[in-house]
Every structure is written in structure tokens, then in C-alpha cells.
Amino acid sequence: MPELANLAAQGTLPGILRQLSGLGSCTHPIRLDGHRTEYDLDTATGEIGRILQHLDSTSLPAGQLLVRCNNRRTTRCPACAEVYRRDTFHLITAGLRGGKGTPEQVGTHPRVFATFTAPGFGPVHNRRTDGRPCRCGLHHDQDDDPLGTPLNPDTYDYEAAVLWNAHAGALWQRFSIYLRREVAKRAGLSQRRLRDYARVSFAKVAEYQKRGAVHFHAVIRIDGPEGGNTPPPAWATAELLTDAIETAATKVRVDGPVIDGRTHTFTFGRQLDVRTIRSADFNDGQELTERAVAAYIAKYATKGAETATGALDRPLKFVAELAQLDISDHARQLIRTAWALGARKDLEHLRLRAWAHMLGFRGHFSTKSRRYSTTLGALRNARAEWRRAQAATNEPAPETTYVLAHWVFAGTGLSDAEAWLAASADLAPGTEGEPTRD
Ligand SMILES: [Zn+2]
Ligand SMILES: [Zn+2]
């Protein structure tokens, strides 16, 4: 490899290995051209003093600054998806048992783990728990390809399936309003007065079922009026919360578009599962524990439609690409339907072509209400701080420095030589150090 020989001749090999190891195995880093200068700052006068550090991308071994892509999808970047999974785990855990700035007493508040599904769009191949065969007459294996795909693709309601995904975010949004209303009603309070006594917070993740419909898993918790650090009122029990969730999920509906004379209305499916979360101390192996919930949500946060449905992990540029792709006929038909609906002026706001690869779903993968726990950004900052502290313990505190930086995007990925070096040097993820482990 001539590029490698050149690097060796220039004596820059150890430097480039150091730069690559900073990526923690990210295979599609973002490349930046630019510079960063850190100055001493007199906090009393606000005066900028001497230069403490200067970094110019041209002086770096790779000729550019390389930063992690931070892609959450396992199929796109396994290393960055792993960081995202861990962060999500910590975020969910913090909301269940405290930590990272969330008080420990949230562990004593009523909490449930709920799963919301999409309604049916036509019969699909399935595995029956009663031992009887699927309607097609066969007994399907767990990894059987036809599972979740329509028994009759000609009658499957692809239009409603795609539009449901496109409205799933709005449906959840409205559900969260209905839920607060139902909780208030059970406490004998108006919705407005509820805020003086209790707060309902949640963290949720979207997952694709094999049939290509999005469904939601959520941790829902009741706190006192100031959130996690105030105790909930005595009436706030997991039973009351469960009952309110069931009513709100049954009532909620979102009006959709009228297409060729057909009015679409969106609701959740009848399959609703709500379970109380117990703390680990009370676990006898049967209960749903905090740890299991956090691991479950974190796992699904790194998956898109590609994992369950065999669709795509990136946007489609032309519908003609579909014919060449190695995806299931069911996924192809869902994407084609989204693409066709995307041409309609009255559905412009759904941006169905841009989100065709997500089968119409354009919501966030994992979301949480403000009071649930810490944020992914806060966890990232904490990690950066920790790395900085580890790199140079006598480095000045960030508040006493002034930073001037200018960076421009110069591309993505590694050169062949860099990729070869990164692979052969076995730059394992996490070499930069993680302050916490799950
Ligand atoms: Zn990456
Ligand atoms: Zn079948």
C-alpha cells in the first residue's frame, strides 16, 4: 500500500495511530479542516491572555481533524451505536433508580413499562402460542422470513400502514396529553390543578415490528409537583397510572388525510401491555426489573427499520434504486407506497419521500419528557470532560479559558490506509475510557 509506505517514510505512523485510536473504532468519522485556539481568560476583567493551546488540522497526522460520526444505527457504525446504546441505558436507568443528577428517590415513585402497538392492516404470517399452525398451514420458525409479512399482499392495507407510521409521533403526542387528563380525573383534579400535585414523565423508544409498523415502548412515572426530587401524592399508585394509560390509549385518535374518498383515522392497536416496574431489591426473578427495562430500551434505540423489517438504513434518492436492493418484497412495497404517497401535494407535510426508508415514520427514535432524567447531551459532555481530565490533569478548568475555533466539513470516512491501520492495530472501542459501565 503506497500511502502507508509514504506515511512510514515520513515517520508519522505512531501519530496517526494515536489519532485513529481517539475515534474508538468509529469507521465513518467526520473529517474537518480548520483550527482551534485556546486562550487564557482573566475571569475578573474578561481579558484574553496568552495562547494555551493551538491546533491546526494541517498539522495533524491525518491532515484533518477526525471526529466520531455518532450514528446511532448498528448497521451504519457499530462502535458509535454502542456508545449510543450505553448512553441510552444510563439515561433510562437514571430515570428509574436515580443518578447522573436525578435523585435516587425516583426509585420509590410509581413506574410502569408500557408497550403500544399499531392496529392491524391485514392478516400476517405468525407464530401461535397455542401450538396451532399459522393460517397458511405451516408452523413457522422464529427466524422464518415470511413471519410478519402479509398472507395476501394484494389485500394488505399498505396505504394505511405507511400513513399510520407517519402519524405515530402525533398519536403519541396526543396520548401524552390524554394521559395527564386521565390521571387528573382519577385524582379528582382539573388538568391544570394536577401540576400543583404531580408530574407525569416518560422516556420512550420506537421499534419496528416485523410487519414494518412502528410500536412504542415507554417508561412512565409519576412524581411530585417539582418532578423527581419531590414525592408523589398518596393517590398516585402504579395501579392508577396503569388504569389511566389504558383509558388514554383506547380513547386517543388522530385524524388523517382523505385519500381517494377514504378518510384515514389513526389509533393504537388493541394489544397494549402495561407492567409495573419493581426495583431490583424486590426481584424474585419474575418481576420486570429496572435493569431489564433499561437494557431493552437501549437495545432498540440503536435499531431502525432495517433490523426488523429488512428495509434500508439510509434515505432513498430514486425509486428506481428499489429494484436493485436486496430487501424483502414486503419492505419494498411499504417503501414504494411511501414514495407514491410522497408525490401528493396534500401530504407534503409528512415528507414521505425523505422518510420512505423509515417506512413513513419520521419521529425521533427515543424521546423523553424534560423531567424524566439526564440528557444524552449531558452524558456526552460528562464523557468529554472526563477524557480531558484524563489527558492532562493540570490543564486549566474550562471556565478560565477562551476558545476560538473554526471548522469546515471536509468529508467522511477513512482513507484505505487509515482503515487498514485502524483494523490491524486493533483499536478497540472504549480505549478512550468510559467513566461508567453498565
Ligand atoms: Zn461512528
Ligand atoms: Zn404463515
Side-chain angles (χ1 to χ4, degrees):
M1 203 172 279
E3 200 183 338
L4 195 61
N6 281 342
L7 291 172
Q10 291 159 7
T12 50
L13 262 182
I16 200 156
L17 282 176
R18 216 176 309 124
Q19 202 182 348
L20 290 171
S21 72
L23 292 171
S25 293
C26 169
T27 47
H28 306 283
I30 294 154
R31 311 184 73 99
L32 300 168
D33 283 326
H35 54 85
R36 178 187 189 277
T37 313
E38 205 172 309
Y39 301 88
D40 202 7
L41 179 72
D42 186 328
T43 44
T45 64
E47 251 170 70
I48 294 164
R50 69 195 170 95
I51 292 176
L52 297 170
Q53 269 190 346
H54 177 71
L55 173 72
D56 200 302
S57 56
T58 54
S59 66
L60 290 168
Q64 278 157 341
L65 182 71
L66 306 179
V67 296
R68 303 180 70 131
C69 74
N70 282 331
N71 198 300
R72 66 164 186 86
R73 289 165 186 266
T74 311
T75 56
R76 292 286 286 272
C77 185
C80 290
E82 176 57 16
V83 173
Y84 188 89
R85 189 192 64 75
R86 281 193 209 180
D87 280 357
T88 305
F89 180 87
H90 292 309
L91 184 150
I92 299 296
T93 305
L96 290 172
R97 57 165 85 145
K100 317 263 177 207
T102 305
E104 271 173 36
Q105 66 187 73
V106 294
T108 63
H109 297 183
R111 307 154 307 162
V112 300
F113 183 58
T115 298
F116 303 81
T117 58
F121 304 110
V124 294
H125 292 276
N126 59 7
R127 263 162 69 85
R128 300 181 53 126
T129 45
D130 57 11
R132 286 165 57 194
C134 169
R135 284 201 233 179
C136 70
L138 299 171
H139 286 274
H140 294 296
D141 235 13
Q142 201 170 339
D143 320 302
D144 223 357
D145 280 339
L147 272 184
T149 67
L151 282 163
N152 183 356
D154 294 336
T155 58
Y156 193 76
D157 197 347
Y158 281 98
E159 181 179 286
V162 166
L163 288 172
W164 194 90
N165 280 349
H167 290 83
L171 191 61
W172 172 270
Q173 194 59 40
R174 190 162 295 180
F175 162 78
S176 68
I177 297 167
Y178 277 35
L179 174 60
R180 289 181 173 102
R181 193 177 295 166
E182 293 300 327
V183 168
K185 203 188 279 178
R186 280 157 184 75
L189 296 164
S190 70
Q191 220 182 325
R192 188 171 299 221
R193 289 285 310 281
L194 176 67
R195 261 177 277 166
D196 299 333
Y197 298 91
R199 298 276 177 167
V200 179
S201 69
F202 67 85
K204 82 167 201 309
V205 67
E207 184 201 343
Y208 284 86
Q209 290 178 298
K210 277 208 86 176
R211 61 184 170 127
V214 160
H215 66 174
F216 294 123
H217 300 289
V219 172
I220 306 177
R221 192 181 75 206
I222 303 184
D223 299 322
E226 301 300 322
N229 42 21
T230 45
W235 53 257
T237 61
E239 291 68 36
L240 177 139
L241 181 57
T242 301
D243 187 48
I245 290 169
E246 282 167 356
T247 306
T250 310
K251 276 187 185 174
V252 69
R253 47 190 19 79
V254 165
D255 291 329
V258 180
I259 292 174
D260 305 328
R262 173 183 178 195
T263 307
H264 285 274
T265 306
F266 306 106
T267 60
F268 283 120
R270 257 171 303 173
Q271 260 185 315
L272 171 71
D273 183 55
V274 188
R275 284 191 277 172
T276 303
I277 302 167
R278 315 278 178 202
S279 57
D281 319 4
F282 299 107
N283 183 34
D284 57 1
Q286 299 292 313
E287 305 275 23
L288 185 63
T289 64
E290 293 161 339
R291 202 186 159 77
V293 167
Y296 197 70
I297 290 195
K299 183 174 138 212
Y300 285 110
T302 60
K303 292 180 174 181
E306 69 281 3
T307 326
T309 322
L312 302 171
D313 64 358
R314 63 196 76 209
L316 202 65
K317 288 196 189 75
F318 309 101
V319 74
E321 289 173 56
L322 268 181
Q324 267 84 56
L325 294 166
D326 180 25
I327 56 175
S328 71
D329 288 339
H330 181 56
R332 206 186 308 274
Q333 194 51 42
L334 284 164
I335 295 170
R336 192 171 284 146
T337 306
W339 191 269
L341 289 169
R344 296 177 65 105
K345 197 95 188 114
D346 56 333
L347 300 182
E348 216 172 27
H349 61 290
L350 301 175
R351 305 190 58 230
L352 287 167
R353 287 199 165 174
W355 297 99
H357 67 296
M358 300 280 276
L359 316 178
F361 179 63
R362 70 191 181 296
H364 289 289
F365 252 78
S366 41
T367 56
K368 60 173 199 64
S369 53
R370 196 165 50 87
R371 287 165 200 269
Y372 178 75
S373 73
T374 182
T375 63
L376 285 178
L379 288 175
R380 258 176 224 140
N381 283 344
R383 189 164 43 236
E385 291 288 338
W386 190 82
R387 218 179 283 153
R388 214 174 291 136
Q390 204 190 34
T393 37
N394 53 0
E395 215 177 286
E399 304 85 64
T400 62
T401 65
Y402 175 78
V403 175
L404 198 66
H406 178 71
W407 296 104
V408 286
F409 179 75
T412 59
L414 296 172
S415 70
D416 289 346
E418 287 163 357
W420 183 85
L421 272 173
S424 54
D426 190 23
L427 303 168
T431 46
E432 81 273 37
E434 290 280 321
T436 45
R437 304 213 167 267
D438 52 9

